[in-house]
Every structure is written in C-alpha cells, then in structure tokens.
Amino acid sequence: MKTKLFFLSLSAWVLITSCQKSGIAEFSSLPVVESYLAPGKKINLMISEKIPYNESEGTADTSVNTLDISVGYNGVYYNIIPLGNGIYSDTAGNVSVIADSTYTLLFMFNGSHVYSSTIIPPRPVGVTQSATTIKMSQIDPESQSWFDMPDPVEITFSNDDQSYYLVTVVCIDSVRVPVYKDSIPENDIYSSMPVTGTQINIMPMQLSYFGLNRIILYHINPEYATFFTQQASTSQNYQEPPTNIENGLGIFTGINADTLFLNVVQEK
Amino acid sequence: MLQKKFGDLTGWISYTLSEAKNRISIYGDSYFPASQDVTHEFKFVGMYDFRNWSFSLTWLFASGRPYTAPDGAYSVNLINGTSQMFIDFGDKNSSRLPAYHRLDAAVNYHFKNRETNNEWGSLGLSIFNVYNRRNIWYKEYQIIDGNILETDKLFLGIKPNLTFSMKIK
C-alpha cells in the first residue's frame, strides 16, 4: 500500500511538472507614430517600430520607410512623402494646419489599418506674465542662497473649457551661465506638468540658465497630457502605454502655442 | 482527498484540478486565464506523535499563476525635446509564473504534568520553506538605458520560528 502510494505521488509529480507553459509573451509588431500638428507648420511624422522584449523575435514584415501614409482634412486625404529613416513630411505643403480643425491619419501596417484623429486646439488667449525680468543669485546648494529667491513667474491664461496647458522654458542666450553653481543642467529645457487651470508658476530654481529664456505656453490635447502619467509596470498592476493610435502606438496630436520671454539676470 | 485520522501517524493528501477564465471586453472577445487560475494544486500534510514529541511535515505544490508579460518597448520624443520610453504588454495573462511549491516542517515538545499527564506548555521549532524555494510573487519592469529590466519579487524564503507556549490555568 505504501509503495503504491509512493509511486502514485511520484507519477503525479512527473505529470504536474511536465505541464508548465512558457513565460514569454508573443511579440506583436506595431508601428510607433510620433506627430505633432501645429498651425503654420508642415505636417511631419516619425514612424518607428517597437523593440521586441525577447531578442529572438523578428520585426514587422512591413518596412517603416515604405508606408503609404495619408492625412485627411476636410474630407480629402493627402499623401505624406517618405524621406527615409521613418520620417514622413508634407513637403509640398498640401495640408494647412488650422486651429479648431480635425485631422486624421491613415495607413496600413502588417495588414492592419492604423488610424488616428486629432483636433488642433486654439491658440492660448488672455495670456499674461507677472514678470519679464527677474534677478537672482547663482544657487550654491551648499549655502543658504535658497532663501533669496525671487517670486515665481506666474503665467496666466483664459481656460473656460478646462483644457490642458503646459509650459516649457529654454535659454536662447548665446552665453549660458548655469543657475546652479558648478553644475551642468541635466536637461536644457524645463517642462511643467499639464494643468487644466488658468495659471502655471515657474519657480526660479526650476530654471537652467541665466540670460534670455523663451517660454512657450502650449495648448495641448488630452491624449498628450496622458503621456505625463507615470506608467505603473508590474505583472500585478501594469498599465498599457498611452496612445491615441488605433492598431499602433505613440501619438498623433494637435498643439498650439504662444511665446513669451523671460530675462533672468544674475546678481553678483 | 485521502485522510488518516487515527494512530500516531495522521494526515491527509489532496489534489485539485481547476480552471478559471475571464472574458472582459476591454481585453478582447476571447476568454483568458483569470489571475487566480491555478491548474494543479497538490497538498500533503503529515503528523507524527511520539511520546512528548510531535512532528509535522507539509508540502504544497501549485501550478504557476498567469501574468501579463511585456512584449516590447519603444520611445517617443515629446514636444519639450526629451524622449520617454514605454513598455508595451502582450495579451492579458498569456504567460505563466513558475510553479509554487514549498516544504514546511515543525517539531514540538509538549510539557506535561507527571501526575495528571495534562499538558501545561510546549516548545516548538518550525521552519517555513525548508529548501528555500524562490517562489515568485510578481514581476516588476523598469526601463534602464533603453533595455527592459525584469525583477522577480519573491515570497518568503526559509524562515525558522521558535515558539514557546504555556497554559496559565
């Protein structure tokens, strides 16, 4: 009896351990679209491919350089010309990007229709800037110069529909003196998080360089705002990456902007 | 299930075969394994009493649970000039973690009143996960230098425990 029980258990063990499934997900090749439509600018797109997690997986049968891409506006589709390296451009300027207009993207990739649609937001209105010049000392992290900071620069604007806005700040001065002593900024451009209010504050310690800085206030769509959400990535709590591309990944979105300037003067 | 209740050696053995599936529209029209789907589950519990000593041995085995694995990564340039990388995941719960199994053992000495033979306390040593099996709880993914880094988060490894109990009344 004991012998039979032993061999029964052993057989069960062999049966159970021989039935384990593979832990590798099957790769699905999808195009990655990157396109920002802005009024007054030609339509440009960047198409790339997803990199497989498993190195032995192959890539798509369709090349990203030979796609037949069309952008639709007002019921008419216009071909976008491939320039190589996945870059496509409306070089002839056939499509005018106009605020409050809707544009669609359409092409075939690996036998699937890739589609997207976006609307061009209106230009920011009612834009004011609390200061065009600020004076501050160079920040030495080891000293107490933190307490002598000027007030934040307040960028205010009208936002009746509570849509998304963000700012970027970049130094355009030919002479670049870093705001932080003895350090080279990791990013030349400061970018705020998207907001649905009517004000964005630029803190002096968020600036990278003294001199003339260009502030761009962007009016963006919700599909772009989702890119700023941190992607949770565990097998228990994963999030699909944000995208507004059907049968694809990436972003096809309209943007509009207003430009301001801020002179950051170094106090000696 | 087989069970032995009488004698110095007692215990039970059980085996469960099961399947749990879900069909949720946001994941498509097909059924997929539920997160709690464990195909095979085998349990063995054995206990042996010898004078003031008691010994126990437990062995658990369960098929690996489903999980959703990444199938690739990509980057997108943002309007501020920076680049952000994203992980894209494969079909819902299409992969399986390795099987879960562990062995627990315990030995207890029971202190008894010599006259009444009533137990007044016990001292025990138990070991959880005797052979320190690396059972995976879940996986974590990060993008480091353009590569997806996968980290296994584990259940407890080998853990000894010493316990003493005493009856006050």
Side-chain angles (χ1 to χ4, degrees), chain A residues 173-206:
Chain A
D173 215 302
S174 55
V175 178
R176 290 188 157 198
V177 178
V179 166
Y180 285 85
K181 185 180 176 184
D182 297 331
S183 73
I184 299 172
E186 283 186 19
N187 293 315
D188 282 356
I189 303 176
Y190 162 72
S191 179
S192 72
M193 294 294 286
V195 300
T196 55
T198 57
Q199 181 172 314
I200 297 176
N201 291 343
I202 301 171
M203 311 297 287
M205 60 274 291
Q206 290 168 328

Side-chain angles (χ1 to χ4, degrees), chain A residues 13 16 23 26-28 32 34 36 50-53 189 191 224 227 231 233-236 238 240-241 249, chain B residues 59 61 67-68 70-74 76-80 84 86-89 92 95 137-139 141 150:
Chain A
W13 165 259
I16 288 166
E26 195 174 316
F27 179 69
S28 61
V32 180
E34 190 183 298
Y36 302 98
K50 194 168 57 171
I51 303 167
Y53 178 45
I189 303 176
S191 179
Y224 185 67
F227 271 56
Q231 187 186 17
S233 298
T234 70
S235 57
Q236 286 183 322
Y238 72 94
E240 295 290 349
L249 297 164
Chain B
W59 188 69
F61 175 93
Y67 75 100
T68 307
D71 77 344
Y74 62 96
V76 173
N77 293 313
L78 306 180
I79 57 176
N80 61 6
Q84 184 152 341
F86 296 94
I87 298 173
D88 192 29
F89 288 85
K92 178 72 173 172
S95 299
W137 181 14
Y138 65 93
K139 290 177 180 282
Y141 306 103
E150 179 182 284

